[in-house]
Amino acid sequence: NLVVAKGTRLEVHLVDDNGLTLLIDVPIFGTVSVLRDFRPAGESLDRLWLVTERHRFCVLGFDASSGKIVTHAKGDVQDPVGQSVEYGGLGLVDPLCRCLALHLYEGLLKVLPMDPRGHLK
């Protein structure tokens, strides 16, 4: 599948022999600045970690039985102090899915720990 974040929209396209077919098109409250995928241990589908320009985040998954997007986690990673980085920000996922890391402010790395099943602690 192809996942595209277009400003305030999140689109999921199926790649097949005929090209791209739009599967899901959902609005996002905010402009997407970080979009990363990861697959927790024991899961058959990836999850998406999304951060907006206003430093709100969510972890999204897909429920195959209903064909809908489900929210696994959400929150705010904004800090009251600090100067925002000039280039937007970076988000990284640990390859073993132990944590999510964000660089949104100069000199500050924010780490969000996860349990082995991919749930934020």
Side-chain angles (χ1 to χ4, degrees):
N1 292 335
L2 173 68
V3 179
V4 180
K6 288 181 169 178
T8 61
R9 311 277 315 164
L10 183 69
E11 297 177 354
V12 179
H13 299 268
L14 176 65
V15 180
D16 58 12
D17 294 335
N18 300 327
L20 296 176
T21 305
L22 181 64
L23 292 178
I24 298 171
D25 182 15
V26 293
I28 302 294
F29 187 68
T31 303
V32 177
S33 64
V34 174
L35 182 66
R36 297 283 182 259
D37 67 320
F38 64 96
R39 184 173 298 185
E43 293 288 329
S44 60
L45 296 174
D46 287 352
R47 293 186 183 167
L48 289 176
W49 175 41
L50 185 145
V51 182
T52 65
E53 287 182 348
R54 294 198 176 200
H55 308 304
R56 308 293 195 275
F57 79 92
C58 63
V59 176
L60 303 174
F62 181 71
D63 182 7
S65 61
S66 68
K68 296 189 178 194
I69 300 282
V70 292
T71 304
H72 292 282
K74 62 182 178 177
D76 189 344
V77 288
Q78 189 170 2
D79 258 312
V81 295
Q83 180 179 354
S84 294
V85 291
E86 292 180 16
Y87 51 81
L90 292 175
L92 300 170
V93 179
D94 173 47
L96 299 177
C97 293
R98 296 174 294 190
C99 66
L100 306 171
L102 275 169
H103 182 237
L104 300 173
Y105 299 97
E106 293 292 336
L108 179 67
L109 178 70
K110 185 166 280 211
V111 177
L112 305 171
M114 288 192 293
D115 67 16
R117 295 177 306 159
H119 298 113
L120 294 177
K121 293 181 181 179

